[in-house]
Each structure stands twice: as structure tokens, then as C-alpha cells.
């Protein structure tokens, strides 16, 4: 009995892994509730989040600088 070549085993393994990956992606996408999606109009944009983050970081730096100056 002849053993299958390495390339044929690799092809079968790659096809199997691809099929499992595609199935898992479809299952994850199906598990999300479509009713829980927030409409784009009511979500803040990415730039707004970045701006708010930078404002908080700047306030923290100002507080730290003030605390160092008062010591």
C-alpha cells in the first residue's frame, strides 16, 4: 500500500482548515443580534473619540505638572 505524498496531505489539510475557518466566521456572524446595532447617526465618530481621549490625557498631564510644581 502506497503512502500519500506530502503535497496531497498538505492540500487536504489546507482545504480542511479553510472550510473550518469559513464555517466559524459564518457562525460568529450569525450569532450577533441585528436589533442591537446602534445607528451610525447616533454613534460618535472615531475622530470624536480620539479628541475626547486626547483632552483627558492633556488634563491628566496638566494635573501632574501642577502637582510637581507645588512640591
Amino acid at each position: 500500500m502506497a503512502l500519500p505524498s506530502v503535497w496531497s496531505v498538505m492540500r487536504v489539510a489546507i482545504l480542511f482548515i479553510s472550510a473550518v475557518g469559513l464555517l466559524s466566521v459564518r457562525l460568529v456572524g450569525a450569532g450577533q443580534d441585528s436589533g442591537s446595532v446602534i445607528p451610525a447617526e447616533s454613534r460618535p465618530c472615531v475622530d470624536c473619540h480620539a479628541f475626547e481621549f486626547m483632552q483627558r490625557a492633556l488634563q491628566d498631564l496638566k494635573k501632574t505638572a501642577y502637582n510637581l510644581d507645588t512640591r
Side-chain angles (χ1 to χ4, degrees):
M1 177 159 79
L3 292 174
S5 69
V6 173
W7 293 113
S8 64
V9 172
M10 290 291 287
R11 275 188 279 179
V12 170
I14 289 172
L15 286 173
F16 178 74
I17 291 170
S18 299
V20 169
L22 287 173
L23 287 174
S24 65
V25 167
R26 290 181 64 112
L27 289 174
V28 167
Q32 296 177 350
D33 294 333
S34 61
S36 64
V37 175
I38 300 170
E41 297 84 23
S42 63
R43 287 186 306 221
C45 63
V46 174
D47 291 336
C48 298
H49 282 299
F51 182 74
E52 291 170 2
F53 175 79
M54 292 302 291
Q55 273 187 324
R56 285 193 301 266
L58 185 59
Q59 288 172 355
D60 290 345
L61 284 174
K62 286 180 181 177
K63 286 179 187 176
T64 304
Y66 177 76
N67 289 338
L68 290 174
D69 285 341
T70 57
R71 287 185 184 178

